[in-house]
Amino acid sequence: QTEIVLQTIRRAADRGLGVLVVSHDMPHMLSLAHKIVVLRHGRVVESFDAGAADIPTVVAAMLGSSQVAANGQ
């Protein structure tokens, strides 16, 4: 089922439609997105071009630097 949803999103984007996906599944998001925007508490905290983003960087933005430091990551 996941692959069907991903294919549908890709087809829509290929047709020039804007697609908003809210997910914590980083591998899927990095494979789908052109741009990744991280929100925390309703505010934009970081924005990445997907080609320049990696999972640790996006997760760090999601958690916030104090949370990452507290977890020793």
Side-chain angles (χ1 to χ4, degrees):
Q1 289 181 348
T2 300
E3 192 55 40
I4 293 169
V5 171
L6 295 175
Q7 288 174 1
T8 302
I9 292 169
R10 285 186 187 106
R11 280 196 305 273
D14 288 345
R15 291 185 11 227
L17 298 173
V19 179
L20 172 68
V21 179
V22 178
S23 176
H24 287 93
D25 189 326
M26 290 298 99
H28 285 149
M29 292 303 94
L30 290 175
S31 74
L32 281 175
H34 295 140
K35 183 172 188 169
I36 296 172
V37 178
V38 177
L39 301 173
R40 192 173 339 107
H41 304 294
R43 299 190 189 276
V44 174
V45 295
E46 192 68 65
S47 179
F48 305 96
D49 288 330
D54 59 26
I55 291 173
T57 303
V58 175
V59 170
M62 290 169 63
L63 296 176
S65 58
S66 61
Q67 182 67 34
V68 172
N71 288 332
Q73 299 177 2

